[in-house]
Amino acid sequence: MSTPTHDPHSGDRPDRGTGTANPDPTNPATVDMDEPPAGGSFTRYFLRKLGGAATSMVLVIVLGFFAFRMLPGDPVLKIAKERPMSPAQIAELRSQYGLDKPVIVQFWDYLVGIVTGDLGESYVYRKSVSSLIGEYLGPTLLLTATAAVIAIVLGLWLGQISAWRRNSLFDKIASSTSLIFWSVPTFWLGLILLMIFGGTLQWLPTGGMITPGLDPWSPAGIIDVIKHLILPVISLVAVVYAQFLMIMRASLLEEMSEDYLTTARAKGLTEDEVRRRHAVPNALLPTVTVVFLHLGGLIAGAVTVEAVFSWPGLGKLTFEAIRGPDLPLLQGTFVVFSAIIIVMNLAADIVYRFLDPRVRRA
Amino acid sequence: MFTSHSLRRGWQRCLAGVAALALAGSMAASPAQAATSPAPASDNVLRIATDGFIDSFNPFTSFYLVPTNTFRYMYENLVANDAKDGSITEGLATEWNTDSEGKVWTYTIRPDMKWSDGEPLTSKDVAWTYNQMMEKEEMAVANGSLVENFDKVETPDDGTVKITLKKPQANNPGQEIPVVPEHVWSKIDKPGEFKNDEKSVGSGPFQLESYEANKSITLKANPNFWRGKPKLDEIQYRYYTNSDAQVQAIRSGEVDFITGLSPDQFTALENADNVELNDGNGRRFNGISINPGVADAKGKEFGTGHEALKDKKVRQAIRAGIDTETLRKQVMQDYAQPATSFIPAVYPDWALKSDNSVISGFDVDRAKKLLDDAGWKEGSGGIREKDGEKLQLRFLTDADAPIEQSTAKFIKPWMKDIGIDLKNESSDVDTVSERTTKGDYDMYFSGWSINPDPDYQLSINTCGQRPDADGNGGTSQDGWCNKEFDKLYKAQHVELDKAKRQDLVQKALAIHYEEAPSVTLWYPNQLEAYRSDRFDNFTKQPSDGGAIANQVGYWGYSSVEPASEEEATGGGMGAGGWIGIAAAVIVVLGGGGWLLSRRKKSDDRE
C-alpha cells in the first residue's frame, strides 16, 4: 500500500522566479517592496506569475504522459497474469487500449486530447476519464472543503490566542497538541479513529459516504452522509490545522512587537480592541497566502484519508488507477491534481498582492 | 499605515470564497445518478465487504475477480463444479456424454427452465452464447481461451446441445462459460460494450439489481432458479478500500461477511462478539519458481538466470535446503496446508499424493551432497564455488508482501547452511512482474489459483506454452520445458477414463517435482469471518473444510439463511456520535462567529 502522506513542505511554496525577490508569505519582513509604483505593475506581476503557472502546467502535461509509461510492467500482461489468455486475446486488449500504436503517436493523441478537453478513456471503467473525474470530484470536494473550513477556523482562532498569550499554559498546550497531530501519519491516525469510534464503540460508520440504498437528499440521507463525514474530516483536520495555527501565531507575534500597537494602547483602546482591530488584521496577511497554498496540499492528504475511510472520491480513483495500471486514468488524475495545486499557488500570489496595501501601493 | 477595514473586507471575501467552495462541494457531492435502489426492505440482506475492481458486469469481456465471482451467481453454466470437491455436476444440462475419443460432446438440457424474466431457457441460448465467443473477437475477451478448441456448436432440438471440438479433450468443455439469454443480448447494439450493470436477466441464484461504482453492488434472489429460490432476499456488496476497515466493519456489524483476512487480522477477530471464523482450505498454491534457463516456445534462450540452475541437482538441493514445514507454521502461522506440487490438496483426485516415492523432505545433508555431485564444492566462507565462481543467487520478492519478505528472511540463512549465498531483491510488484517476464531472475516467489480440472495448469508447464521475453505467446508457470512431461500432458488431455487420467496426472506431477523448476511451499487457507447473529448455513467448497468466497460455483451464499435467534445489530449512532457532531457544529459556528463578531469601527486616527 503506497499512498502519499501529507507533507506540509512539499513544493507548495511560491516559485522564486527571476527578477525581483518574491514575498515569502511566512515572513512578513520579506514583503516585496521593489515594485515600481506604476499602475501597470500589477499587470506585469500578474503576467509573470501566469507565465510561471503555464510553464508548470506544460511540464506536468508532458511528465504525466512519460512518467507513467516509464513505470515497470506492461498493463496488459499484468491484467492477463494468472489467467488463461490466448495471444489473440492479449493482442485484442492491446489494440483496445491503443497500446499497439507507437509511443509518439500515443503522445500526440494525448496532447490533442488535452487541448480539446478529452482526457481519453479509462481502460478499466471503459468511460471517459473526464466524466469519471467529474463523478468522483464531488465527494472529494465535500470532504476537503469541510475539512479546510474547520481547519482554517480552528487554526487561526487557536493561533491568535496562543500568540496573544504566548508562553502561557494555553499556548504551550495548543501548540504542542497541534504539532503532535501534525507529526502523526495520516493513515495511522485515521485507522486508530476508525478502530475506536467505528469498530469498538460503534458510534460512527467504518467507511463509505452513504449507506447503500439511502437517497442522499432525504433528511435521513443527509444525516447519514454527515455521520460518514465525521471521522474522515476529523482525521484530515487533525493533521493540517497545526500549520494554520503556527503561521497565525508567528505572524501575530511579529505584529505584537510593532510600534503602532503601543500607539493604539496609548489611545486608550482596550487590549481586546488592540488585538482584534490592529494586530490580527495585519497578521492575517501572510496567513491568507499560506492558507491558499495549503488548500492544494489538502488534496494530497485527502488521498490518504479516502483510502482509509473508503471514501468514494478522487483519491480512491487514483488508487484504483495505480493498481490497474490504468494509464489514461492515471494521467488524467495526475494532470487534474497538479492543475489544482498550480491554480492554488497562482491564486495565493494574486490574493497576496490584492490584499496587502503595502504591496499594492493603492 | 492603512485602515483595517479594507483589509478585513478582503479577508472576509476570502472566507466567503472558501465557504462557497464548501457549499459547491456539498452540492456536487450528490451521486451522479439519483439513488436507484430503495433502502433494503427486509433484514434478509447479506452484506459483504469488498474491495474488488469492476470494469463492467459483461461476462464476455470482464475478467476481474469480483465480476467473475458475480457471474457465477448470475449465470448457470452447462455443467457446474459441485461443492463437495469441485467435480462435475448438473448445471443447465442434466446429463452429458462424449464419443469414444472425446471430440463430440452432447448435453441434454433440463426441460422447462426459465430465465429470471420468465422467458424459456433452451439449448438455443447456449449455442448463441458460445457462437458469439467463437465468431467475434470483442466477445472473446474474457473467456476466449475456453472456446478456442470449439469447432462448431449445434442444437438438434431445444433440449440438446452438441459441441464438436477441433481436437479431442477429456476435460468437460461445458464448464465456467456463463450462458446468457439470447432474447436479451441479441437485441443489444454493441454487446461487447454492454455494461450489464442493472437488472440483469440470468439463470443463476441471484441477479444484479444495481451497481454504484466504488459504493455498492446489489444482487436480488432469482425466484426462477432451477434449484429453488435462495433463502436470502438480497446480497449487497459494500466497498471498503482496505482490509483493516473491513475488520472493523464486521466487528461493528455493518457487514455480515468478509474474506481474504491476513493471519493477524483473523487472530484479532477470535474474541469478537457474534463473529464466526472460517479457516477454509483454499485453491491456491504458493511456491518459489526457480529459473531453469528460460527460453521461448522455439527454445531460444533469454534472461539472466544463473547457469548453475540449469542443473536439476542444484534445483533439488535448493528444495532439500528449505524447511517448508517451519515456513508454513511460522510465516503462515499454520493457516496453510502442507504442499506437494502445484495442484492443491482441495482437489484430492488430482493433487500429487504425499506418499509418492518422488517426494523428499527437508534434508541439509542431502542438499549438500547434491551440490557436491553437481560440482559446486565448498569454498571460502562456506559458500560453494565452481571454476572460481561463487554460487550467488538472487531471490526476487514483492516488497509490499509481508509473507514474501518473511519467507526471504527464513530462506537466506538456510541457503547459507548448504553453501548458497542468497541475495534478497525485493521490489514493487510491477518490477517483479516485468523482470520475471524477461527472465531476469534466479528465483522468485510465485502463486496461482487452480481450477477443479488440472488441465489448464498442466498445459502451462508444457514447452509450447512458453512466452518470449516480451511476454508474447503463451503463459508459463516456471518457464520450464520437459519432453516427458509434455507426452504425459497430451495423454491425460484426451484420456476419458478418469482412473487412467489420474494416473497420468500423478506421473506428470511427479516429473515436475523431481525436476524441481519450482518448490511448492504451501496451499494458503482463505481466512473468512461472518456475523453468526445474523446468518448461518454458509456452504463451503470443498464442503469439508473449504472456503465460502471465491468458489468455482454459486454454493457459498445460495444456502445462507437468517440466524434463528435474531439479535439487534449496532447500526445506529450512540449519544457520543451526536455529541461529536454537536461539537463540530459549535467549532464551526463559534469560529465563524468570532470572525464576524468584529464589528466595523472607524476610529482609526493614525
Side-chain angles (χ1 to χ4, degrees):
Chain A
M1 190 101 151
S2 58
T3 40
T5 50
H6 74 286
D7 176 6
H9 309 292
S10 64
D12 48 7
R13 304 179 67 80
D15 68 297
R16 306 212 162 276
T18 50
T20 53
N22 282 309
D24 175 356
T26 57
N27 183 354
T30 66
V31 167
D32 183 355
M33 300 291 279
D34 307 336
E35 288 291 327
S41 69
F42 180 74
T43 317
R44 269 228 337 258
Y45 172 85
F46 178 74
L47 285 175
R48 202 176 71 220
K49 290 290 172 197
L50 199 64
T55 312
S56 310
M57 202 61 227
V58 168
L59 284 173
V60 159
I61 286 171
V62 173
L63 192 73
F65 179 85
F66 289 101
F68 295 122
R69 273 171 177 68
M70 283 193 294
L71 285 175
D74 173 337
V76 173
L77 287 183
K78 192 171 170 183
I79 285 166
K81 199 178 178 223
E82 277 195 51
R83 294 190 40 80
M85 277 203 157
S86 62
Q89 280 171 279
I90 290 178
E92 168 69 14
L93 274 179
R94 253 187 233 291
S95 81
Q96 272 185 11
Y97 296 168
L99 288 168
D100 49 352
K101 296 180 193 165
V103 169
I104 196 75
V105 174
Q106 291 181 41
F107 183 57
W108 178 249
D109 291 348
Y110 162 81
L111 283 184
V112 171
I114 292 224
V115 173
T116 56
D118 171 15
L119 293 168
E121 189 176 86
S122 150
Y123 293 166
V124 173
Y125 292 92
R126 314 246 171 143
K127 276 167 102 165
S128 83
V129 170
S130 326
S131 73
L132 277 168
I133 290 177
E135 243 170 78
Y136 286 79
L137 188 65
T140 296
L141 277 180
L142 174 66
L143 174 62
T144 46
T146 311
V149 170
I150 294 174
I152 291 166
V153 169
L154 187 71
L156 301 193
W157 184 52
L158 292 174
Q160 56 118 6
I161 298 175
S162 275
W164 208 250
R165 307 185 197 159
R166 67 175 169 285
N167 298 334
S168 68
L169 187 63
F170 178 93
D171 177 24
K172 284 180 180 135
I173 291 176
S175 307
S176 56
T177 311
S178 72
L179 286 177
I180 288 168
F181 279 128
W182 193 23
S183 316
V184 298
T186 316
F187 205 83
W188 179 85
L189 181 71
L191 272 179
I192 295 289
L193 288 174
L194 184 75
M195 279 172 66
I196 296 171
F197 295 102
T200 307
L201 297 170
Q202 299 173 22
W203 289 351
L204 292 163
T206 48
M209 188 170 77
I210 187 164
T211 304
L214 277 177
D215 170 12
W217 296 110
S218 66
I222 290 170
I223 288 174
D224 189 68
V225 172
I226 291 172
K227 275 200 249 177
H228 282 85
L229 248 176
I230 293 169
L231 289 180
V233 164
I234 291 176
S235 310
L236 203 48
V237 167
V239 296
V240 298
Y241 86 97
Q243 50 208 4
F244 302 131
L245 186 152
M246 284 298 157
I247 181 71
M248 184 72 201
R249 184 177 178 275
S251 52
L252 188 55
L253 283 177
E254 193 86 35
E255 294 299 324
M256 278 162 63
S257 59
E258 295 284 334
D259 291 344
Y260 69 88
L261 292 190
T262 317
T263 313
R265 287 191 183 98
K267 287 188 312 192
L269 295 179
T270 66
E271 196 64 6
D272 195 44
E273 283 172 322
V274 170
R275 188 190 64 189
R276 282 197 297 111
R277 302 207 23 242
H278 290 274
V280 169
N282 281 313
L284 277 174
L285 285 178
T287 311
V288 167
T289 318
V290 173
V291 162
F292 262 92
L293 289 180
H294 284 303
L295 286 181
L298 258 177
I299 300 241
V303 173
T304 314
V305 169
E306 284 184 11
V308 175
F309 292 99
S310 317
W311 191 261
L314 279 181
K316 162 93 176 142
L317 195 66
T318 311
F319 187 65
E320 291 284 358
I322 292 169
R323 282 208 312 188
D326 193 334
L327 290 176
L329 191 55
L330 264 178
Q331 284 161 195
T333 49
F334 178 76
V335 168
V336 168
F337 275 139
S338 308
I340 290 173
I341 289 174
I342 289 169
V343 168
M344 282 293 174
N345 275 332
L346 185 66
D349 286 334
I350 306 297
V351 164
Y352 192 77
R353 291 285 296 216
F354 173 74
L355 272 184
D356 191 337
R358 285 172 300 192
V359 179
R360 243 191 316 157
R361 301 282 166 85
Chain B
M1 272 301 133
F2 52 94
T3 56
S4 63
H5 77 253
S6 66
L7 237 187
R8 204 181 310 126
R9 260 214 318 273
W11 160 242
Q12 280 166 353
R13 253 179 244 165
C14 279
L15 190 71
V18 174
L21 187 73
L23 194 65
S26 42
M27 304 279 276
S30 68
Q33 72 275 41
T36 41
S37 53
S42 79
D43 225 16
N44 197 3
V45 178
L46 178 72
R47 299 159 307 166
I48 302 169
T50 186
D51 179 25
F53 212 47
I54 290 170
D55 50 349
S56 78
F57 288 94
N58 183 328
F60 294 101
T61 59
S62 179
F63 41 68
Y64 290 100
L65 182 69
V66 170
T68 304
N69 280 332
T70 313
F71 299 148
R72 290 176 172 137
Y73 281 89
M74 287 159 69
Y75 301 104
E76 180 66 273
N77 304 313
L78 211 41
V79 292
N81 301 91
D82 74 10
K84 185 173 161 291
D85 60 2
S87 52
I88 305 285
T89 184
E90 288 182 37
L92 297 176
T94 52
E95 50 190 68
W96 48 94
N97 57 58
T98 173
D99 64 344
S100 59
E101 54 169 357
K103 201 168 172 179
V104 180
W105 290 71
T106 311
Y107 298 82
T108 306
I109 304 294
R110 176 176 298 95
D112 306 325
M113 271 199 294
K114 285 193 164 55
W115 292 104
S116 54
D117 63 357
E119 293 288 319
L121 191 165
T122 68
S123 61
K124 299 278 190 294
D125 293 297
V126 181
W128 187 85
T129 302
Y130 289 4
N131 279 313
Q132 288 292 306
M133 294 165 65
M134 289 153 63
E135 290 160 12
K136 297 179 185 165
E137 253 177 19
E138 72 273 14
M139 298 292 270
V141 174
N143 294 316
S145 60
L146 301 179
V147 296
E148 225 175 356
N149 192 28
F150 286 23
D151 183 30
K152 56 182 192 280
V153 180
E154 297 157 299
T155 52
D157 58 60
D158 275 1
T160 312
V161 174
K162 194 168 131 197
I163 304 175
T164 308
L165 301 174
K166 293 173 186 163
K167 288 185 188 146
Q169 68 176 54
N171 184 15
N172 192 316
Q175 297 171 75
E176 285 287 281
I177 307 174
V179 173
V180 304
E182 183 184 0
H183 71 272
V184 174
W185 286 76
S186 60
K187 294 193 185 99
I188 294 164
D189 185 23
K190 287 184 176 164
E193 291 173 24
F194 182 47
K195 290 252 185 280
N196 195 31
D197 56 6
E198 55 180 342
K199 305 255 189 295
S200 70
V201 178
S203 53
F206 290 92
Q207 292 307 311
L208 188 76
E209 180 67 15
S210 64
Y211 165 58
E212 286 194 76
N214 286 323
K215 293 192 187 94
S216 65
I217 309 164
T218 307
L219 303 168
K220 247 194 163 63
N222 171 13
N224 298 341
F225 181 46
W226 70 270
R227 291 178 189 271
K229 188 185 172 191
K231 297 200 172 63
L232 284 173
D233 293 338
E234 280 184 8
I235 295 176
Q236 191 178 69
Y237 286 90
R238 294 189 174 189
Y239 265 79
Y240 284 87
T241 318
N242 64 74
S243 55
D244 293 314
Q246 294 185 5
V247 171
Q248 298 308 321
I250 197 131
R251 280 179 64 204
S252 73
E254 277 171 86
V255 297
D256 305 310
F257 181 84
I258 54 175
T259 187
L261 296 169
S262 71
D264 291 336
Q265 291 167 330
F266 194 69
T267 313
L269 279 173
E270 268 169 1
N271 302 320
D273 291 339
N274 302 318
V275 175
E276 187 75 33
L277 300 176
N278 181 42
D279 173 10
N281 296 346
R283 53 188 184 95
R284 266 186 88 74
F285 79 81
N286 286 122
I288 295 173
S289 190
I290 304 173
N291 189 332
V294 292
D296 66 16
K298 295 194 179 72
K300 183 171 170 290
E301 292 191 18
F302 60 89
T304 62
H306 199 294
E307 281 295 313
L309 297 174
K310 288 182 178 172
D311 184 343
K312 76 173 177 189
K313 285 199 179 74
V314 177
R315 302 197 299 260
Q316 288 169 338
I318 291 171
R319 172 187 282 131
I322 296 176
D323 181 357
T324 46
E325 192 55 12
T326 297
L327 276 185
R328 191 182 68 78
K329 286 198 167 127
Q330 299 290 329
V331 175
M332 293 301 286
Q333 300 179 32
D334 221 356
Y335 294 122
Q337 302 304 301
T340 54
S341 181
F342 57 78
I343 304 294
V346 292
Y347 304 126
D349 285 352
W350 308 109
L352 181 63
K353 303 273 183 289
S354 54
D355 57 5
N356 192 304
S357 61
V358 78
I359 291 180
S360 52
F362 170 56
D363 185 342
V364 175
D365 293 337
R366 186 167 163 269
K368 287 178 173 168
K369 189 179 176 311
L370 281 163
L371 289 170
D372 283 337
D373 293 350
W376 290 91
K377 306 293 182 200
E378 203 155 319
S380 61
I383 300 300
R384 291 170 181 272
E385 293 174 9
K386 187 179 184 177
D387 309 330
E389 192 197 0
K390 281 192 180 307
L391 189 48
Q392 285 173 321
L393 300 176
R394 301 160 296 164
F395 182 35
L396 190 55
T397 52
D398 173 2
D400 292 331
I403 283 170
E404 299 189 23
Q405 294 311 306
S406 312
T407 302
K409 283 197 187 85
F410 272 94
I411 288 179
K412 191 180 165 73
W414 290 343
M415 289 297 106
K416 192 155 190 311
D417 287 346
I418 63 172
I420 297 175
D421 181 12
L422 191 71
K423 195 159 136 263
N424 182 25
E425 297 187 339
S426 53
S427 189
D428 65 284
V429 69
D430 293 334
T431 304
V432 169
S433 156
E434 183 172 63
R435 286 185 55 184
T436 53
T437 303
K438 288 186 174 151
D440 180 17
Y441 68 94
D442 294 329
M443 297 152 67
Y444 75 96
F445 191 99
S446 71
W448 294 75
S449 288
I450 310 295
N451 280 341
D453 192 281
D455 190 87
Y456 173 73
Q457 202 65 27
L458 290 164
S459 78
I460 63 168
N461 276 286
T462 58
C463 301
Q465 285 296 313
R466 291 173 298 167
D468 64 18
D470 297 326
N472 298 320
T475 305
S476 180
Q477 184 184 298
D478 301 312
W480 170 74
C481 165
N482 178 286
K483 295 279 180 275
E484 279 306 301
F485 182 95
D486 280 20
K487 276 185 202 147
L488 288 161
Y489 166 75
K490 286 196 181 83
Q492 70 78 37
H493 185 73
V494 296
E495 181 52 70
L496 296 170
D497 181 312
K498 189 169 175 185
K500 283 185 187 157
R501 188 175 169 214
Q502 282 174 310
D503 187 50
L504 291 165
V505 170
Q506 286 293 304
K507 286 199 173 91
L509 292 175
I511 288 178
H512 178 272
Y513 190 97
E514 204 263 336
E515 286 274 324
S518 62
V519 179
T520 312
L521 297 172
W522 58 66
Y523 307 132
N525 289 1
Q526 192 166 296
L527 305 178
E528 312 178 310
Y530 62 89
R531 292 289 300 203
S532 52
D533 58 330
R534 299 227 332 134
F535 295 103
D536 56 23
N537 206 19
F538 289 83
T539 301
K540 298 169 188 172
Q541 186 187 45
S543 41
D544 181 19
I548 296 164
N550 306 322
Q551 297 178 349
V552 188
Y554 45 59
W555 317 104
Y557 313 130
S558 300
S559 57
V560 170
E561 43 194 35
S564 42
E565 287 177 46
E566 284 234 41
E567 296 173 37
T569 53
M573 184 163 65
W578 291 110
I579 292 167
I581 292 176
V585 169
I586 287 164
V587 167
V588 174
L589 293 180
W594 163 76
L595 283 163
L596 295 172
S597 69
R598 299 168 307 129
R599 290 184 313 282
K600 212 165 75 176
K601 291 183 183 173
S602 52
D603 55 354
D604 286 334
R605 292 182 302 258
E606 279 147 26

